[in-house]
C-alpha cells in the first residue's frame, strides 16, 4: 500500500499528540484529552479542505457493482481539479483499473467470493498529495440454484405412528443466501411438509401390511414463484415403514379381516382322523394342513413355539414344540371325537399368543372307500335353462345326469354316509342324490367341475371330473326327448281327462241322490209297517207288509208301480228285487228310525201299559167306528179300490177320544177275540200295502191289500 508524505505526517502527528497528551496530564492535570482532540480536529479540517480541492468521489454512498459484471464496466468516476494526477494505490486482486477518472472493473466480480473491495486512489498535484479511499460494494445476483447435500436420502418411521410425527428434515443450501421454498410430491402417500419448513410429517396412520415403503420427491426453490431468474433443486427420499410387534401369531391358513384399524386373521381350526385301537406312526395328517402359525407381524417374523393348552390329559397325543407336528403316544381306545387346543406363542414375547382347535375323529377302519361309477362324467345343459335346472346326461334326452359313488363295503353298494360336493366353479351345485343343478348362467361354453364323494363316518373320499357342455338354445331334447310341443300336447290330454272325470263324478252324484230318494220312501214304508206290527207279541206270524201299491202309476222309477193284480208276496217289485228281500232290508234299515218315530207319534202316545195291552186294527169301512182299539178313515163317497184314485184323509182323533172311556172294556174284549181269530185263521199269503204318491210325504194315505180276500183297507197314520 502506498501512502503520501502528508499521510505519514498525519500518523506521526497522532502519535505525538498522544505522547503530548499523557505528558500534559501528568504536569497539568486540568489539561485533558478533550483539549487535544479539539486541536486535532482543527488540524484535520484544515488539511481536508485542501485535499478536497484536489480530488473527491461523487455522492455520499459507497459505489456498487453487480456480480457477474462485464469486464471494463465503470464502477464510479473520480472528481479532480485540473492538473491532478490520479493513480491506484491499493487494488485487491487487481480487480480494478483507471480509465481517465473512471474506476473500472477489469475482472468479473463474484458476490459469493467477495462482497466488497477497498480501493486506494492517490491524487497528486504538484506538492499537494491526497489518498482517496473507496469501498466498492458487490451487489448479489440470483445466479446460483439451491443445493441438497445428497441426491438421495433414507428415512425410517414405525407403523401406526401418530399423525403429525416428524419423520425427518432434509435441508438445502443456496450460495446466494436466498430464502428457500420446499414442496413434497406426491401428496397422498401418508406424508406432508410442515409449513415453511423442510420437516416431513406423518399425515395418516401407516400400516406395514398395507405399504412397507414410500418414495418421495423433495424440491427446494429459491423464489416463491417460478418467474425467472428462479432455480430449483430436488432430492429423492425413501421412507421405510417399520413393522412393530403389535400382532399375535396367525395359524395358517386363515382369512384376513379388518376390524376398525386392527387386522386379524381367522382360522377355522384343524381336523384329523384315527382308527379305533390303532396307533398312527409319524405326524398325524390334518386338514386343511399341518398345524402351523406365523408371526402376525410379517416384517418381524419372530419364531413361534407350540404346546397343548388342553387335551394333553388324554395321554394319547404329543406336539412338537418347534414344528407343531402332532403324533400319537398310544392307540385311541375310546370313541371320538377328541378335541385338542393348541397354543402358539412368540419365543421372544410370550404375551403374543394365539390358540386353535384340533379335532380328532375316531372311526372304525373301512376296507374300501367310496368309488364313483365312472372315471369321468359328461353332461349337457341348455343356455336358456333356468336357474336350478338339472344337467342332462346326453344331448338327445331329457333324462337328468346322476352321479353316484358306490361303497362295496355295503351289500347293495349304497353308503348312507356318503356326501357329495362340487368344486371348480360357482355355476353348479350337486344335490345329496347326485343330481347336478345350475346355480347361475355359465359365461363359457364348457365348464370343468371336480366332484367329491366323502364318507362322513370316516372322512374317506374320492373325486371324479365332470365336463358340462353349455348348448345353444333349442338344441337339447330334440330326438327321443320331450320338447315344448310334447309337453303342450300332454297338458291338453290331461285337461280332457279332467273334464271327463268331472262329468262322470257328476253323474255318480246324481245317481246317489236319486237312490237316496228311493231309500227314503222304503224307509218310510218300513216305519209304517213296523208301527203296525208293534204289540205285545211283536210281528204277527205269517203276515208281511210291502209298499208296492203306494206308488204313482206315472213314477216308473218307484218301487212297485205295477198293478194290484201283480202284487203278491213272492213276486218282484221292480228291477229284479224280490219283495221279501226288500222287506228284510227295510226292516234292518228302518229300525232306528222307527224308534224315534214311536216316541214322537201322537197316535202311539199314552202310557206304556196301554200300548202293551192294546192293538191297532186298521179296517176299511164307510161308517165311522168309535170302538176302542180301531183306527179308521171314512170316505165322503164310495171309492173303487181298483180305480187308484187319490184318497183324502180327514183326521178324527178328537171325536174318538170322547168315546174312549165308555167303550174301553168292550174294545179290549173284542180286540182279544180279533187277535185270536187272526192267529187261528192266518194264511201264509202276505198282505200288501199300497201307497199314494200324493200323500207319501206326510204319511197319511195308505191302502192294504189282502191276497186272499181282495179287501182294501185304508188307515190313518
Amino acid at each position: 500500500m502506498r501512502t503520501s508524505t502528508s499521510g505519514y505526517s498525519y500518523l506521526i502527528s497522532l502519535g505525538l499528540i498522544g505522547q503530548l497528551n499523557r505528558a500534559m496530564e501528568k504536569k497539568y492535570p486540568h489539561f485533558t484529552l478533550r483539549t487535544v482532540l479539539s486541536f486535532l480536529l482543527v488540524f484535520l479540517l484544515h488539511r481536508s479542505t485542501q485535499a478536497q480541492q484536489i480530488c473527491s468521489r461523487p455522492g455520499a454512498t459507497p459505489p456498487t457493482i453487480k456480480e457477474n459484471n462485464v469486464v471494463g464496466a465503470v464502477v464510479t468516476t473520480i472528481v479532480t481539479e485540473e492538473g491532478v494526477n490520479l493513480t491506484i494505490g491499493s487494488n485487491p486482486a487487481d480487480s480494478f483499473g483507471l480509465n481517465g477518472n473512471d474506476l473500472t472493473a477489469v475482472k468479473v466480480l463474484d458476490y459469493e467470493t467477495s462482497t466488497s473491495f477497498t480501493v486506494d486512489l492517490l491524487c497528486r498535484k504538484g506538492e499537494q498529495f491526497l489518498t482517496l479511499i473507496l469501498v466498492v460494494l458487490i451487489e448479489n445476483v440470483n445466479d446460483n440454484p439451491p443445493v441438497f447435500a445428497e441426491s438421495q436420502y433414507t428415512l425410517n418411521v414405525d407403523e401406526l405412528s401418530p399423525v403429525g410425527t416428524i419423520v425427518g428434515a432434509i435441508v438445502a443450501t443456496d450460495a446466494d443466501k436466498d430464502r428457500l421454498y420446499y414442496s413434497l410430491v406426491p401428496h397422498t402417500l401418508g406424508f406432508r411438509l410442515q409449513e415453511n419448513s423442510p420437516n416431513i410429517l406423518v399425515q395418516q396412520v401407516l400400516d406395514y401390511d398395507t405399504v412397507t415403503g414410500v418414495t418421495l420427491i423433495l424440491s427446494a426453490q429459491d423464489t416463491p414463484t417460478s418467474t425467472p431468474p428462479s432455480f430449483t433443486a430436488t432430492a429423492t427420499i425413501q421412507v421405510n415403514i417399520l413393522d412393530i410387534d403389535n400382532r399375535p401369531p396367525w395359524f395358517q391358513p386363515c382369512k384376513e379381516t379388518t376390524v376398525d384399524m386392527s387386522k386379524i386373521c381367522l382360522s377355522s381350526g384343524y381336523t384329523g382322523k384315527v382308527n379305533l385301537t390303532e396307533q398312527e406312526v409319524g405326524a398325524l395328517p390334518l386338514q386343511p394342513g399341518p398345524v402351523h402359525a406365523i408371526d402376525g407381524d410379517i416384517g418381524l417374523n419372530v419364531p413361534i413355539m407350540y404346546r397343548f393348552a388342553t387335551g394333553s390329559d388324554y395321554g394319547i397325543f404329543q406336539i412338537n414344540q418347534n414344528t407343531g407336528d402332532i403324533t400319537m403316544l398310544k392307540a385311541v381306545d375310546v370313541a371320538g371325537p377328541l378335541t385338542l387346543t393348541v397354543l402358539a406363542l412368540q419365543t421372544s414375547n410370550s404375551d403374543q399368543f394365539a390358540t386353535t382347535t384340533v379335532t380328532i375323529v375316531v372311526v372304525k377302519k373301512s376296507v374300501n372307500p367310496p368309488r364313483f361309477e365312472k372315471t369321468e362324467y359328461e353332461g349337457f345343459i341348455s343356455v336358456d335353462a333356468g336357474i336350478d335346472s338339472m344337467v342332462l346326461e346326453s344331448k338327445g334326452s331329457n333324462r337328468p345326469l346322476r352321479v353316484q359313488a358306490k361303497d362295496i363295503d355295503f351289500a347293495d353298494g349304497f353308503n348312507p354316509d356318503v356326501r357329495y360336493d362340487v368344486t371348480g366353479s360357482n355355476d353348479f351345485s350337486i344335490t345329496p342324490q347326485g343330481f347336478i343343478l345350475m346355480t347361475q348362467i355359465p359365461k363359457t361354453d364348457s365348464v370343468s367341475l371336480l366332484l367329491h364323494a366323502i364318507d362322513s363316518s370316516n372322512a374317506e373320499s374320492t373325486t371324479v371330473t365332470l365336463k358340462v357342455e353349455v348348448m345353444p338354445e333349442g338344441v337339447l331334447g330334440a330326438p327321443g326327448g320331450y320338447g315344448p310341443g310334447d309337453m303342450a300336447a300332454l297338458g291338453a290330454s290331461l285337461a280332457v281327462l279332467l273334464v271327463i272325470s268331472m262329468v262322470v263324478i257328476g253323474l255318480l252324484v246324481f245317481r246317489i241322490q236319486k237312490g237316496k230318494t228311493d231309500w227314503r220312501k222304503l224307509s218310510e214304508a218300513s216305519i209304517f209297517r213296523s208301527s203296525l206290527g208293534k204289540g205285545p207279541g211283536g210281528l204277527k206270524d205269517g203276515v208281511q207288509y210291502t209298499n208296492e201299491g203306494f206308488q204313482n202309476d206315472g213314477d216308473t222309477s218307484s218301487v212297485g208301480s205295477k198293478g194290484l193284480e201283480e202284487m203278491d208276496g213272492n213276486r218282484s217289485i221292480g228291477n229284479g228285487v224280490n219283495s221279501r228281500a226288500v222287506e228284510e232290508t227295510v226292516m234292518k234299515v228302518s229300525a232306528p228310525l222307527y224308534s224315534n218315530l214311536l216316541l214322537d207319534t201322537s197316535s202311539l202316545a199314552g202310557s206304556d201299559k196301554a200300548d202293551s195291552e192294546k192293538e191297532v186294527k186298521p179296517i176299511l169301512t164307510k161308517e165311522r167306528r168309535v170302538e176302542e182299539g180301531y183306527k179308521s178313515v171314512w170316505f165322503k163317497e164310495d171309492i173303487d179300490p181298483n180305480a187308484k184314485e187319490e184318497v183324502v184323509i180327514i183326521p178324527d182323533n178328537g171325536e174318538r177320544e170322547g168315546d174312549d172311556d165308555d167303550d174301553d172294556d168292550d174294545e179290549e174284549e173284542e180286540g182279544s177275540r180279533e187277535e185270536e181269530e187272526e192267529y187261528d185263521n192266518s194264511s201264509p199269503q202276505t198282505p200288501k200295502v199300497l201307497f199314494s204318491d200324493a200323500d207319501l210325504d206326510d204319511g197319511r194315505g195308505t191302502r192294504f191289500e189282502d191276497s186272499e180276500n181282495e179287501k182294501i183297507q185304508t188307515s190313518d197314520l
Side-chain angles (χ1 to χ4, degrees):
M1 176 179 177
R2 296 189 299 273
T3 60
S4 64
T5 304
S6 60
Y8 285 111
S9 300
Y10 173 70
L11 294 176
I12 294 173
S13 299
L14 290 177
L16 292 175
I17 291 174
Q19 294 178 0
L20 179 61
N21 182 53
R22 288 191 293 272
M24 293 300 289
E25 285 180 354
K26 292 180 180 180
K27 187 174 182 180
Y28 304 101
H30 61 277
F31 190 85
T32 62
L33 180 62
R34 182 172 53 187
T35 304
V36 176
L37 293 176
S38 298
F39 283 110
L40 179 60
L41 179 61
V42 173
F43 174 76
L44 292 176
L45 290 174
H46 175 72
R47 296 288 297 179
S48 175
T49 302
Q50 293 180 349
Q52 288 178 359
Q53 295 176 358
I54 298 175
C55 64
S56 63
R57 61 179 179 82
T61 60
T64 61
I65 186 173
K66 292 183 178 181
E67 65 173 335
N68 304 324
N69 59 283
V70 178
V71 175
V74 176
V75 177
T76 186
T77 300
I78 306 301
V79 179
T80 62
E81 293 181 356
E82 186 178 354
V84 175
N85 185 22
L86 185 63
T87 60
I88 297 177
S90 174
N91 189 5
D94 297 330
S95 300
F96 300 95
L98 287 174
N99 184 10
N101 288 350
D102 293 334
L103 180 66
T104 62
V106 298
K107 291 183 178 180
V108 177
L109 304 179
D110 185 11
Y111 176 85
E112 288 73 32
T113 303
S114 178
T115 60
S116 65
F117 293 91
T118 302
V119 181
D120 293 341
L121 298 178
L122 301 179
C123 301
R124 186 185 300 273
K125 182 180 180 182
E127 296 294 331
Q128 294 180 0
F129 180 81
L130 177 64
T131 300
L132 184 61
I133 301 173
L134 296 178
V135 177
V136 180
L137 302 178
I138 308 301
E139 185 178 345
N140 189 20
V141 176
N142 186 18
D143 59 345
N144 294 289
V147 176
F148 286 101
E150 299 178 10
S151 61
Q152 291 187 346
Y153 294 86
T154 300
L155 300 176
N156 297 320
V157 61
D158 290 340
E159 65 170 338
L160 305 181
S161 295
V163 175
T165 301
I166 298 178
V167 179
I170 308 298
V171 180
T173 59
D174 189 348
D176 295 327
K177 309 300 181 183
D178 293 330
R179 177 183 175 180
L180 299 180
Y181 301 88
Y182 295 92
S183 62
L184 190 66
V185 292
H187 303 284
T188 58
L189 293 181
F191 299 94
R192 66 179 181 88
L193 283 176
Q194 189 175 13
E195 186 177 2
N196 299 325
S197 170
N199 293 332
I200 300 175
L201 308 179
V202 175
Q203 186 178 20
Q204 63 187 31
V205 178
L206 306 173
D207 183 8
Y208 177 84
D209 295 327
T210 303
V211 57
T212 58
V214 175
T215 300
L216 305 174
I217 303 298
L218 180 64
S219 300
Q221 186 172 319
D222 55 9
T223 58
T225 64
S226 299
T227 303
S230 178
F231 298 95
T232 302
T234 59
T236 301
I237 303 174
Q238 178 65 38
V239 181
N240 296 323
I241 301 172
L242 304 179
D243 198 3
I244 63 175
D245 189 12
N246 65 311
R247 294 196 182 104
W250 288 350
F251 283 99
Q252 300 298 303
C254 62
K255 182 179 181 180
E256 294 186 16
T257 183
T258 301
V259 180
D260 295 332
M261 291 298 297
S262 300
K263 181 177 290 186
I264 60 177
C265 200
L266 302 177
S267 173
S268 59
Y270 303 87
T271 59
K273 68 169 184 173
V274 296
N275 294 324
L276 186 66
T277 68
E278 289 187 9
Q279 181 178 353
E280 291 281 347
V281 178
L284 292 179
L286 302 175
Q287 295 295 332
V291 175
H292 178 63
I294 62 173
D295 187 1
D297 302 306
I298 302 175
L300 299 179
N301 198 22
V302 177
I304 306 298
M305 60 181 179
Y306 307 88
R307 64 181 61 167
F308 280 137
T310 62
S312 59
D313 51 342
Y314 294 134
I316 301 174
F317 305 96
Q318 67 177 2
I319 188 169
N320 188 296
Q321 182 176 350
N322 298 320
T323 64
D325 291 337
I326 298 176
T327 56
M328 296 184 69
L329 298 175
K330 63 179 183 179
V332 180
D333 56 359
V334 295
L338 304 177
T339 301
L340 310 174
T341 303
V342 177
L343 178 69
L345 62 160
Q346 295 180 2
T347 56
S348 59
N349 183 8
S350 59
D351 290 335
Q352 295 286 17
F353 65 90
T355 60
T356 190
T357 58
V358 179
T359 303
I360 305 298
V361 180
V362 182
V363 298
K364 293 182 180 179
K365 187 174 182 180
S366 174
V367 178
N368 298 284
R371 290 285 184 269
F372 281 100
E373 296 177 324
K374 297 181 180 180
T375 57
E376 63 179 358
Y377 289 88
E378 185 178 18
F380 304 87
I381 193 167
S382 178
V383 70
D384 60 339
I387 301 301
D388 291 335
S389 297
M390 289 188 291
V391 174
L392 306 181
E393 65 179 12
S394 65
K395 296 181 181 179
S397 172
N398 285 336
R399 184 176 180 181
L401 173 66
R402 184 178 186 183
V403 297
Q404 285 185 309
K406 300 294 184 180
D407 192 341
I408 61 177
D409 290 339
F410 294 80
D412 57 356
F414 175 72
N415 185 350
D417 295 322
V418 171
R419 301 291 182 265
Y420 297 101
D421 189 19
V422 59
T423 59
S425 175
N426 295 326
D427 299 336
F428 296 92
S429 64
I430 187 169
T431 68
Q433 294 77 25
F435 295 103
I436 311 300
L437 303 180
M438 183 174 67
T439 57
Q440 61 185 17
I441 304 300
K443 298 180 180 179
T444 59
D445 296 337
S446 178
V447 180
S448 295
L449 305 175
L450 185 63
L451 305 180
H452 302 263
I454 304 171
D455 188 344
S456 59
S457 65
N458 54 27
E460 292 180 338
S461 63
T462 185
T463 59
V464 71
T465 58
L466 167 62
K467 183 179 180 181
V468 179
E469 296 290 341
V470 182
M471 308 302 295
E473 182 178 355
V475 174
L476 293 182
Y482 299 100
D486 298 330
M487 300 306 295
L490 177 61
S493 301
L494 293 177
V496 172
L497 292 177
L498 178 61
V499 172
I500 295 174
S501 300
M502 295 299 295
V503 171
V504 172
I505 292 173
L507 292 175
L508 292 176
V509 171
F510 176 75
R511 294 295 300 271
I512 291 173
Q513 293 295 334
K514 184 177 179 181
K516 286 183 178 180
T517 303
D518 295 339
W519 280 107
R520 180 171 60 84
K521 294 178 180 180
L522 292 175
S523 300
E524 292 174 350
S526 177
I527 293 171
F528 173 74
R529 172 193 175 281
S530 300
S531 65
L532 295 178
K534 282 292 180 178
L539 294 174
K540 295 182 179 181
D541 295 337
V543 180
Q544 298 181 3
Y545 302 90
T546 65
N547 64 341
E548 291 178 345
F550 192 64
Q551 304 295 334
N552 193 319
D553 291 340
D555 188 4
T556 58
S557 64
S558 301
V559 178
S561 59
K562 301 177 181 180
L564 294 175
E565 64 275 11
E566 297 178 0
M567 296 183 179
D568 56 28
N570 297 323
R571 293 191 179 186
S572 171
I573 63 174
N575 295 332
V577 181
N578 187 273
S579 62
R580 188 173 300 275
V582 172
E583 175 192 3
E584 294 176 356
T585 303
V586 170
M587 287 297 297
K588 294 179 181 179
V589 174
S590 61
L593 299 175
Y594 168 73
S595 300
N596 295 331
L597 182 63
L598 183 61
L599 296 176
D600 298 333
T601 305
S602 61
S603 63
L604 300 178
S607 64
D608 295 339
K609 180 178 179 181
D611 291 340
S612 62
E613 294 178 354
K614 298 180 180 180
E615 180 178 356
V616 177
K617 297 180 179 180
I619 62 172
L620 179 62
T621 180
K622 295 182 180 179
E623 295 84 17
R624 299 185 64 178
R625 300 285 298 273
V626 295
E627 291 94 331
E628 183 178 2
Y630 286 89
K631 289 186 177 181
S632 61
V633 297
W634 58 279
F635 300 89
K636 293 184 293 182
E637 59 184 359
D638 293 340
I639 298 176
D640 184 3
N642 295 326
K644 296 184 180 180
E645 296 180 357
E646 182 179 353
V647 178
V648 179
I649 301 174
I650 302 176
D652 193 21
N653 293 333
E655 295 181 1
R656 188 180 58 185
E657 288 177 3
D659 299 334
D660 283 346
D661 294 339
D662 297 337
D663 300 335
D664 186 278
D665 295 337
D666 296 339
E667 287 294 332
E668 185 174 352
E669 292 177 0
E670 185 177 351
S672 298
R673 288 193 302 269
E674 291 286 343
E675 183 177 357
E676 290 176 359
E677 287 180 354
E678 209 166 4
Y679 276 100
D680 292 339
N681 301 321
S682 62
S683 172
Q685 296 179 349
T686 303
K688 295 182 171 25
V689 183
L690 282 77
F691 297 88
S692 175
D693 285 345
D695 299 323
L696 178 63
D697 293 335
D698 54 16
R700 293 180 297 176
T702 61
R703 290 182 298 171
F704 294 90
E705 177 184 2
D706 193 304
S707 301
E708 180 180 359
N709 300 323
E710 296 293 331
K711 295 181 179 180
I712 304 301
Q713 301 178 2
T714 302
S715 174
D716 182 16
L717 295 179

